[in-house]
Amino acid sequence: MTQQFEKGVAPYTVRKNKNYILDEIKKIKTEISEDLFVLGHYYQQSDVLRFADAVGDSYLLARYAVSSRKPYLVFCGVHFMAESADLLNDDKQIVLLPDLNAGCAMADMAAPEDAEKMWAELKEIIPEKIIPITYINSSAAIKAFVGKNGGAVCTSANADKVFAWALEKGDKLIFLPDRYLGWNTALAYGIDPDLLVHWTPGRPLGANSADALRKAKIILWNAYCSVHRRFLPGDVIKIKESYPEIKIAAHLECRPDLIELSHLAGSTSAILKGIEASNHELWAVATEQHFVSAIQDTFPQKTILPLAGSGYECTTMSLINPDSLLATLQSIQSGQPKNIIRVEDSLREHALIALKRMMEISN
Ligand code: SF4
């Protein structure tokens, strides 16, 4: 039976890149190195990451972006990451994304006009103080919405700290856009699942009753990452039939019923550190497969398997490849940089407030 895949996810494919493209990237990168800083997300293919000056998850890359003073930042990741780098850097620095179609399926599930509608509807029925939080995997417009309304950004590495901050500051919390990261973080914080509700955009009161919203402590936007949602509890049962001793590591964007079955749950950085620190040699990992393969390369003495099949890749992350990276570097060298990411002036102030709040909270 052929498997159906929704937008943003596909079975993992190993790509063979042309040597002359890789040689050309190396040559140009050396020639313009004075002016260039290349950032690479963990979910990129190894033939892209080999040219990165810094590799990490969204949070680490945001920090690297702040510290780099080079005039050109080439972001090998997706659109919202390049936007964050643009917001966090001074006006003279130029951020480029090698392929402008490299968006994020989850970020696309949260339109700013729907968030404004939610805010207006909630304000009509809830007198208490509500703090909005957005996962960094969201557009600059959603970050601006959150910053304007007293909230903050978080990543999967610091969501627990940002939750604690928000619950101290307000009576209720709205979490956008990842329902699973929100749910998993709330449960780890000790919040009763009966106090969590999902807000479905486009439906009156997000498809809830006014009473349910008044009772709720956390209101979770109903969106998800199509890559991480593919991993199911049945995959754990299946892999344990072949490897009874195997341990499971899962990203916090995975479904809560999968997180429950995992020995290690966290951000990409936390998964990497957890596997390194563990004496256990055999792991199945539920996250984007380029990263799972990179963990295997980092710890060759261990056996690191995808939790399901040959693993899944994020199709928009995969749009960044040696060809698009080379074209971007050539454009910088020719003095006509292309694929510049520049957040609209009307959004900058509030989006930056939300990002800086996260930096302060997690410091
Ligand atoms: S892996 Fe998921 S959350 Fe990350 S960029 Fe792809 S769709 Fe977005």
Side-chain angles (χ1 to χ4, degrees):
M1 197 174 73
T2 26
Q3 282 185 297
Q4 298 292 317
F5 285 88
E6 66 183 310
K7 190 180 160 210
V9 56
Y12 174 64
T13 311
V14 180
R15 290 164 179 86
K16 181 85 191 95
N17 296 296
K18 298 185 180 82
N19 282 336
Y20 75 86
I21 301 273
L22 303 176
D23 292 344
E24 193 60 17
I25 295 175
K26 192 172 170 195
K27 179 174 154 279
I28 298 183
K29 190 166 180 254
T30 309
E31 287 166 3
I32 61 173
S33 63
E34 289 286 296
D35 294 334
L36 177 70
F37 195 74
V38 179
L39 299 127
H41 190 270
Y42 282 136
Y43 296 170
Q44 292 292 313
Q45 58 169 288
S46 56
D47 275 349
V48 168
L49 289 185
R50 64 202 275 187
F51 298 110
D53 299 302
V55 176
D57 58 15
S58 309
Y59 182 67
L60 277 175
L61 292 176
R63 297 215 78 100
Y64 282 125
V66 173
S67 59
S68 170
R69 300 270 55 91
K70 301 280 181 83
Y72 293 103
L73 299 180
V74 173
F75 215 112
C76 298
V78 291
H79 199 271
F80 72 81
M81 298 175 185
E83 280 187 334
S84 297
D86 174 54
L87 286 164
L88 290 165
N89 280 283
D90 70 44
D91 276 354
K92 292 190 194 79
Q93 288 174 297
I94 294 177
V95 178
L96 300 103
L97 183 67
D99 189 319
L100 291 181
N101 292 314
C104 164
M106 173 161 63
D108 291 347
M109 292 181 204
E113 52 280 10
D114 286 337
E116 294 287 357
K117 245 189 242 166
M118 166 180 68
W119 190 250
E121 286 183 37
L122 288 176
K123 285 286 165 189
E124 278 200 5
I125 57 165
I126 296 174
E128 294 113 310
K129 190 165 182 190
I130 308 172
I131 304 290
I133 301 297
T134 186
Y135 191 18
I136 198 165
N137 300 26
S138 55
S139 66
I142 289 290
K143 292 183 179 80
F145 158 78
V146 162
K148 184 177 71 181
N149 292 301
V153 172
C154 75
T155 69
S156 49
N158 60 26
D160 51 348
K161 287 186 186 165
V162 179
F163 254 61
W165 169 84
L167 288 172
E168 204 169 291
K169 218 169 154 318
D171 305 301
K172 287 179 192 289
L173 191 161
I174 296 171
F175 190 83
L176 297 110
D178 186 0
R179 58 182 281 185
Y180 295 135
L181 175 62
W183 186 286
N184 292 328
T185 308
L187 251 53
Y189 192 80
I191 292 174
D192 182 342
D194 286 346
L195 300 179
L196 308 179
V197 293
H198 291 110
W199 181 281
T200 303
R203 304 271 305 276
L205 294 182
N208 298 287
S209 68
D211 277 351
L213 289 164
R214 283 191 200 103
K215 185 183 152 215
K217 190 79 181 159
I218 315 273
I219 299 165
L220 302 161
W221 191 265
N222 199 353
Y224 54 85
C225 165
S226 39
V227 178
H228 290 92
R229 195 166 89 137
R230 283 220 55 108
F231 296 103
L232 301 171
D235 297 327
V236 176
I237 295 165
K238 199 165 165 208
I239 206 161
K240 278 181 173 269
E241 283 168 5
S242 308
Y243 306 99
E245 301 303 318
I246 203 161
K247 294 226 184 242
I248 312 297
H251 194 280
L252 286 171
E253 288 173 22
C254 291
R255 300 157 46 117
D257 50 5
L258 181 73
I259 297 292
E260 252 178 58
L261 300 174
S262 304
H263 304 90
L264 169 62
S267 64
T268 39
S269 300
I271 290 173
L272 191 64
K273 282 188 199 141
I275 290 179
E276 181 177 22
S278 165
N279 292 329
H280 205 77
E281 300 293 319
L282 178 60
W283 287 87
V285 185
T287 189
E288 213 273 354
Q289 184 56 29
H290 288 102
F291 180 55
V292 180
S293 303
I295 304 175
Q296 177 66 86
D297 294 345
T298 309
F299 307 119
Q301 74 284 10
K302 301 194 183 223
T303 301
I304 313 293
L305 303 174
L307 177 61
S310 56
Y312 305 120
E313 66 178 53
C314 171
T315 55
T316 47
M317 281 275 182
S318 297
L319 290 174
I320 311 298
N321 55 36
D323 299 72
S324 56
L325 176 58
L326 175 60
T328 303
L329 299 190
Q330 285 169 331
S331 76
I332 295 172
Q333 193 171 42
S334 70
Q336 293 182 314
K338 52 173 215 180
N339 295 356
I340 294 172
I341 300 295
R342 169 79 192 167
V343 174
E344 266 177 50
D345 286 350
S346 62
L347 301 174
R348 294 187 78 82
E349 182 191 346
H350 288 122
L352 192 55
I353 287 173
L355 270 169
K356 286 196 168 161
R357 275 195 191 120
M358 170 187 75
M359 300 282 194
E360 284 161 22
I361 296 163
S362 54
N363 265 340

